[in-house]
């Protein structure tokens, strides 16, 4: 029996759609018929499997989706209902993998209670997304939001973080370090790359300039569908999903009607919509046949749905709403509940707040008008609290000194692992028992890949989680005591919690801070090395080496760099309440907040910048702390010096008591001894 096709267009609409595509080559969304009509539903058969024949003659065994709705309990949101279609996705390997990823990476070394996982967070985002979309459906019926839209938004919330690697954002930082190291020091990878090419006859694929976990999330969404035997059909977007293997019946996978056993099956367009909600902008190749310039999943009248999970216009969305509250609750046991923002949200019209970055407005002379998620004017203070929580969480949790000292050691460990040929991981491309994958990977040529390339292939990436350290350690132990000499001490330090140490920090809120921030981390490191200081320690003279320390430029903000993020939100007045029930084209205009209306809790500055120095060498911690303080003092004096002045230094032996005098600005003809920190010595500076 061949799967039935769903006819969702009138003949006139189909003609217009075909004409548009012929003119611009884009897959733009046409007007949809009512998906709740009897013609677009399927009666659920018996629960047994059935055989179907595909258009290319293959026979598949398929079974209907279970119609049982389940529940789970969440520490933040209480009971969470899991619809049948969501449960089918939840049971796939890419989503279950989230249970093996710590939401906050290495933060649990600073806050032992921060052990919640990406899976818990994703379930929370799913619930918030469902509630928000359902609220729009209920309160603004004329916008045409359907129950199928609500279900798609829920799945997007569940799947939005599938692309995170081990220890969450630490993996992204690791990829940045590897790419820079491979470019700056190719000699370190010469042996690995040579053996790889000799074995497989191909070069290791290069790393992109920047890794985006959202893109990998899209790959893993396709992987989840493939595991279920399904695939998005770009040639037939308004038919049900393409059956490509044994698995869920494409005609019985979708929204279960409340009052019957009828199922509205997902179309391929629905799953394009889900992926667009995760990505926050039009899909690009290879997630679409060609780079798209507009949304395909839903038309312009439903653009506000794309702001629920990943809001590119103002930063208020269900993803941030969940992790702001969940993370602060786990680490500090502080309530950071912003549910009132979700309860009071409405859709209104508003001028684009980010025209330079908006894919629709960046080519326009004037910013366009969007259908936006907006809030009543009375909640301006709550909105400010929401974004204040962002900078608070970053300062107290995400960039806590112990969090980062553990993370930096972990990154060093992964970097050393990555350059070892014997640490390559199998991709399972020839494994008959491997999980089904999307056919675009049929000709994937790599049998093994380093950890830094694991995200390139779904069968490998799905096995890469926070257990990676155990995998590395087992390989090191199995190969004998003389193997991997650079890895062994790093593993020992990590297991013993002998993390790196933050030995210096300078806040850049004073005069000269902008000039210091303009320096790159490499320039700051060279600047510190040029201090050329050595230290008379208990074991003799200690010299500063480039590998002894790490420089980090730390930037914290409320979500919009130097700007007030609330200025990107749009607020409606009480007099607009009745108009909010209108059709999309007649909705009221929500306005940018007046500066005079900003609440008392508005920050004076919306960004904090600092420079930190971390020591890799325990015996040099005190030494490096003194070196950093010397550098900071001299740098500030140079930046504050008027034209024609310089700071000159020469060798000063000093004694154990050192000096307490401050640096003095000199003319070119003058000389002075610089302050000498305790037990530190400086060479002649000319």
């Amino acid at each position: 029996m061949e799967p039935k096709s769903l006819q969702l267009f009138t003949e006139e609409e189909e003609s217009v759609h075909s004409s548009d595509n012929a003119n611009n080559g884009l897959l733009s969304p046409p007007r949809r018929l009512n998906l709740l009509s009897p013609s677009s539903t399927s009666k659920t058969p018996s629960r047994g499997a059935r055989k179907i024949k595909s258009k290319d003659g293959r026979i598949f065994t398929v079974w209907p989706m279970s119609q049982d709705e389940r529940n789970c309990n969440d520490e933040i949101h209480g009971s969470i209902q899991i619809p049948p279609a969501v449960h089918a996705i939840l049971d796939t390997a890419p989503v279950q993998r989230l249970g093996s990823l710590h939401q906050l990476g290495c933060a649990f070394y600073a806050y032992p209670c921060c052990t919640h996982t990406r899976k818990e967070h994703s379930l929370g985002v799913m619930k918030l997304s469902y509630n928000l979309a359902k609220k729009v459906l209920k309160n603004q019926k004329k916008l045409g939001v359907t129950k199928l839209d609500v279900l798609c938004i829920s799945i997007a919330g569940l799947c939005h973080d599938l692309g995170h690697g081990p220890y969450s954002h630490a993996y992204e930082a690791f990829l940045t370090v590897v790419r820079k190291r491979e470019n700056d020091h190719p000699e370190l990878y010469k042996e690995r790359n040579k053996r790889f090419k000799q074995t497989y006859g191909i070069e290791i694929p290069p790393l992109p300039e920047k890794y985006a976990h959202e893109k990998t999330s899209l790959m893993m969404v396709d992987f989840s569908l493939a595991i279920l035997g399904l695939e998005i059909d770009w040639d037939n977007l308004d038919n049900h999903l393409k059956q490509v293997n044994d698995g869920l019946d494409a005609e019985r996978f979708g929204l279960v009607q409340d009052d019957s056993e009828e199922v509205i099956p997902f179309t391929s367009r629905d799953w394009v919509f889900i992926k667009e909600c995760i990505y926050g902008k039009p899909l690009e190749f290879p997630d679409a046949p060609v780079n798209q310039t507009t949304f395909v999943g839903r038309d312009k009248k439903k653009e506000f749905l794309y702001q629920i999970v990943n809001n590119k216009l103002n930063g208020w969305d269900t993803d941030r709403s969940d992790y702001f509250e969940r993370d602060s609750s786990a680490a500090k046991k502080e309530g950071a509940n912003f549910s009132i923002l979700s309860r009071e949200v409405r859709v209104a019209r508003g001028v684009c707040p980010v025209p330079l970055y908006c894919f629709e407005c960046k080519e326009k002379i004037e910013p366009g008008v969007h259908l936006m998620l907006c809030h009543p004017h009375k909640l301006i203070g709550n909105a400010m609290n929401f974004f204040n929580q962002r900078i608070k969480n970053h300062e107290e949790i995400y960039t806590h000194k112990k969090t980062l000292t553990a993370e930096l050691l972990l990154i060093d460990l992964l970097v050393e692992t990555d350059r070892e040929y014997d640490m390559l991981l199998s991709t399972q491309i020839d494994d008959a028992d491997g999980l089904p994958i999307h056919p675009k990977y049929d000709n994937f040529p790599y049998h093994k890949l380093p950890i830094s390339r694991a995200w390139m292939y779904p069968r490998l990436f799905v096995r890469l989680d926070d257990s990676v350290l155990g995998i590395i350690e087992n390989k090191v132990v199995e190969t004998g005591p003389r193997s991997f000499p650079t890895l062994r001490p790093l593993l020992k330090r990590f297991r013993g919690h002998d993390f790196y140490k933050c030995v210096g920090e300078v806040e850049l809120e004073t005069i000269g801070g902008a000039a210091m921030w303009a320096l790159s981390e490499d320039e700051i490191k060279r600047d510190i090395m040029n201090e050329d200081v050595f230290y008379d320690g208990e074991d003799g003279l200690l010299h500063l080496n480039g590998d002894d320390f790490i420089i980090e430029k730390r930037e914290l903000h409320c979500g919009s760099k130097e700007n007030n993020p609330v200025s990107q939100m749009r607020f409606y007045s009480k007099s607009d309440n009745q108009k909010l029930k209108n059709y999309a084209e007649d909705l009221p205009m929500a306005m940018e907040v007046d500066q005079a209306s900003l609440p008392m809790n508005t920050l004076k500055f919306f960004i904090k910048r600092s420079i930190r120095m971390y020591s890799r060498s325990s015996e040099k911690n005190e030494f490096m702390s003194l070196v950093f303080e010397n550098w900071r003092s001299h740098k500030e004096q140079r930046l504050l010096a008027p034209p024609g002045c310089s700071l000159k230094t020469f060798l000063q032996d000093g004694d154990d008591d050192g000096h307490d005098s401050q640096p003095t600005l000199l003319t070119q003809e003058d000389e002075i001894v610089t302050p000498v920190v305790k037990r530190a010595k400086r060479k002649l500076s000319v």
Side-chain angles (χ1 to χ4, degrees):
M1 175 179 177
E2 189 167 326
K4 293 181 292 183
S5 298
L6 294 177
Q7 186 66 32
L8 297 182
F9 297 115
T10 63
E11 291 182 4
E12 180 183 356
E13 288 171 329
E14 192 171 47
S15 173
V16 170
H17 181 45
S18 301
S19 173
D20 289 344
N21 286 345
N23 289 336
N24 57 27
L26 299 176
L27 297 166
S28 55
R31 292 175 293 160
R32 296 173 67 102
L33 295 182
N34 183 1
L35 289 178
L36 299 180
S37 63
S39 62
S40 63
T41 60
S42 303
K43 196 73 174 179
T44 302
S46 64
R47 299 199 175 249
R50 68 186 181 108
K51 301 284 186 180
I52 64 169
K53 186 176 182 180
S54 66
K55 291 182 179 180
D56 59 4
R58 290 181 293 169
I59 304 295
F60 300 129
T61 301
V62 299
W63 49 89
M65 173 188 71
S66 168
Q67 295 194 14
D68 297 330
E69 188 169 276
R70 305 192 181 185
N71 293 276
C72 69
N73 292 319
D74 180 68
E75 188 173 343
I76 301 298
H77 305 298
S79 179
I80 297 178
Q81 288 185 319
I82 303 175
V86 175
H87 197 271
I89 297 298
L90 180 61
D91 278 345
T92 61
V95 182
Q96 288 300 314
R97 168 183 171 271
L98 297 176
S100 299
L101 297 178
H102 284 97
Q103 166 77 6
L104 297 183
C106 292
F108 67 90
Y109 291 112
Y111 297 99
C113 290
C114 285
T115 55
H116 55 290
T117 65
R118 288 275 163 192
K119 184 179 178 182
E120 294 169 67
H121 164 61
S122 296
L123 285 167
V125 176
M126 182 200 75
K127 176 167 184 176
L128 292 179
S129 302
Y130 171 86
N131 289 347
L132 201 159
K134 192 75 176 290
K135 188 171 291 295
V136 176
L137 182 153
K138 178 182 177 181
N139 295 328
Q140 296 180 277
K141 293 181 174 63
K142 292 182 179 180
L143 296 182
V145 175
T146 67
K147 292 181 179 179
L148 188 57
D149 293 334
V150 175
L151 180 60
C152 290
I153 291 291
S154 302
I155 294 175
L158 178 68
C159 299
H160 78 285
D161 268 352
L162 294 182
H164 273 293
Y167 293 89
S168 295
H169 291 286
Y171 184 72
E172 296 167 48
F174 152 69
L175 293 179
T176 301
V177 173
V178 169
R179 183 179 182 276
K180 185 177 185 305
R181 205 177 189 210
E182 288 183 347
N183 290 337
D184 295 348
H185 302 285
E187 70 279 1
L188 297 176
Y189 299 87
K190 185 177 180 181
E191 178 64 22
R192 182 199 70 178
N193 295 346
K194 179 182 176 182
R195 291 180 64 186
F196 189 91
K197 188 168 184 180
Q198 287 175 343
T199 305
Y200 302 109
I202 190 172
E203 301 280 358
I204 291 178
L207 287 171
E209 187 171 342
K210 187 176 181 181
Y211 175 76
H213 73 265
E214 295 89 353
K215 288 281 287 182
T216 309
S217 292
L218 303 184
M219 174 187 79
M220 300 303 274
V221 167
D222 286 335
F223 190 23
S224 288
L225 285 177
I227 291 170
L228 297 176
L230 304 170
E231 182 186 313
I232 294 173
D233 187 354
W234 279 87
D235 294 326
N236 299 283
L237 284 175
D238 292 288
N239 286 350
H240 56 69
L241 290 163
K242 186 177 181 181
Q243 198 82 49
V244 293
N245 214 327
D246 296 344
L248 276 187
D249 190 339
E251 294 185 47
R252 317 291 183 214
F253 177 44
L255 174 69
V256 180
Q257 293 285 63
D258 293 334
D259 54 354
S260 70
E261 290 188 338
E262 292 181 340
V263 174
I264 303 173
F266 287 122
T267 65
S268 289
R269 189 180 297 280
D270 292 328
W271 278 88
V272 171
F273 173 50
I274 290 168
K275 293 175 72 172
E276 288 171 335
C277 287
I278 294 170
Y279 198 42
K281 56 185 179 180
L283 300 182
E284 302 161 349
F285 182 82
D287 293 293
V290 295
N291 290 347
Q292 303 298 298
T293 58
T294 188
F295 286 129
V296 173
R298 296 294 186 267
D299 60 27
K300 176 72 174 175
K301 289 185 177 180
K302 291 187 178 181
E303 64 174 321
F304 54 88
L305 293 175
Y306 292 102
Q307 300 160 32
I308 292 177
V309 176
N310 185 2
N311 194 335
K312 296 290 188 182
L313 294 182
N314 61 40
W316 179 83
D317 53 37
T318 55
D319 178 22
R320 293 172 178 86
S321 296
D322 181 84
Y323 77 71
F324 284 3
E325 181 177 359
R326 189 178 300 275
D327 298 348
S328 62
S329 176
K332 312 286 287 185
K333 299 303 176 186
E334 296 175 353
N337 192 312
F338 304 106
S339 59
I340 190 171
L341 292 171
S342 296
R343 289 198 307 270
E344 299 285 341
V345 70
R346 297 292 186 273
V347 177
R349 293 185 300 142
V351 176
C352 181
V354 286
L356 296 179
Y357 306 101
C358 173
F359 70 89
E360 288 187 82
C361 301
K362 61 184 178 182
E363 303 297 334
K364 297 179 180 179
I365 298 176
E366 295 291 333
V369 174
H370 297 288
L371 292 174
M372 296 176 60
L373 298 179
C374 304
H375 294 85
H377 196 270
K378 65 181 181 180
L379 295 187
I380 292 174
N382 299 81
M384 194 69 251
N385 286 336
F386 177 82
F387 291 108
N388 286 351
Q389 190 66 42
R390 182 188 191 279
I391 198 168
K392 184 178 181 181
N393 279 12
H394 275 269
E395 191 165 26
E396 297 179 358
I397 307 172
Y398 313 146
T399 65
H400 187 284
K401 289 179 181 178
K402 190 164 185 179
T403 299
L404 286 181
T405 54
E407 183 176 299
L408 290 170
L409 176 57
L410 172 68
I411 290 171
D412 277 356
L413 200 159
L414 293 177
V415 167
E416 286 301 318
T417 302
D418 203 62
R419 72 186 188 92
E420 297 286 350
Y421 176 83
D422 293 326
M423 286 292 180
L424 298 178
L425 302 175
S426 171
T427 58
Q428 290 185 284
I429 61 171
D430 295 328
D431 189 346
D433 295 322
L435 293 169
I437 57 173
H438 193 281
K440 64 186 175 185
Y441 294 101
D442 285 349
N443 297 317
F444 192 77
Y446 303 100
H447 288 76
K448 287 189 174 184
L449 284 174
I451 293 174
S452 60
R453 274 73 169 179
W455 57 271
M456 295 181 177
Y457 194 68
R459 280 183 185 166
L460 173 52
F461 193 67
V462 79
R463 307 194 319 268
L464 196 67
D465 53 36
D466 287 1
S467 65
V468 65
L469 283 184
I471 296 172
I472 294 170
E473 194 167 27
N474 284 335
K475 283 196 173 187
V476 169
V477 171
E478 289 169 1
T479 51
R482 295 178 180 271
S483 63
F484 305 109
T486 57
L487 269 177
R488 287 178 175 275
L490 292 173
L491 283 166
K492 185 177 180 180
R493 285 192 68 169
F494 201 89
R495 290 301 188 194
H497 285 202
D498 182 17
F499 302 135
Y500 298 156
K501 185 174 179 61
C502 181
V503 293
E505 180 175 12
V506 55
E507 301 284 348
L508 303 183
E509 296 179 357
T510 57
I511 297 175
M516 293 176 75
W517 184 258
L519 298 171
S520 69
E521 291 175 352
D522 285 343
E523 287 173 328
I524 295 171
K525 193 166 188 175
R526 285 195 295 268
D527 219 8
I528 291 175
M529 291 296 293
N530 287 337
E531 289 287 308
D532 205 13
V533 180
F534 56 93
Y535 185 71
D536 188 6
E538 295 179 0
D539 299 325
L541 289 178
L542 298 176
H543 292 268
L544 189 64
N545 300 313
D547 292 336
D548 288 335
F549 65 98
I550 301 167
I551 294 298
E552 178 213 12
K553 292 174 66 178
R554 177 172 173 254
E555 183 177 78
L556 312 176
H557 56 85
C558 292
S560 190
K561 297 288 185 178
E562 296 90 348
N563 304 314
N564 184 352
V566 175
S567 65
Q568 294 181 189
M569 299 182 73
R570 297 293 179 259
F571 298 88
Y572 59 85
S573 65
K574 190 174 181 179
S575 61
D576 292 327
N577 285 345
Q578 193 60 34
K579 297 178 184 177
L580 291 170
K581 298 179 181 180
N582 293 342
Y583 289 101
E585 57 270 19
D586 297 322
L587 289 172
M589 283 291 293
M591 308 304 292
E592 180 180 345
V593 63
D594 191 322
Q595 294 300 309
S597 302
L598 290 174
M600 295 295 292
N601 63 338
T602 302
L603 297 176
K604 185 177 181 181
F605 300 104
F606 301 101
I607 193 166
K608 295 181 180 180
R609 288 172 173 151
S610 63
I611 296 172
R612 282 178 173 178
M613 182 180 189
Y614 297 92
S615 167
R616 287 188 174 107
S617 178
S618 301
E619 63 272 16
K620 295 183 181 180
N621 287 344
E622 183 183 0
F623 171 37
M624 279 188 268
S625 180
L626 298 176
V627 171
F628 185 82
E629 179 58 28
N630 250 21
W631 169 80
R632 182 201 61 77
S633 177
H634 297 149
K635 193 68 178 178
E636 287 180 354
Q637 289 297 321
R638 293 186 187 103
L639 291 172
L640 293 172
C645 293
S646 65
L647 187 66
K648 294 189 176 183
T649 64
F650 61 88
L651 183 65
Q652 172 68 34
D653 290 335
D655 53 30
D656 286 347
D657 295 329
H659 288 253
D660 290 325
S661 60
Q662 295 298 311
T664 303
L665 295 174
L666 305 173
T667 63
Q668 296 288 354
E669 289 76 26
D670 295 328
E671 289 184 352
I672 194 169
V673 178
T674 59
V676 182
V677 293
K678 186 176 180 180
R679 303 180 75 182
K681 302 182 179 183
R682 293 177 51 80
K683 293 183 179 180
L684 179 65
S685 174
V686 294

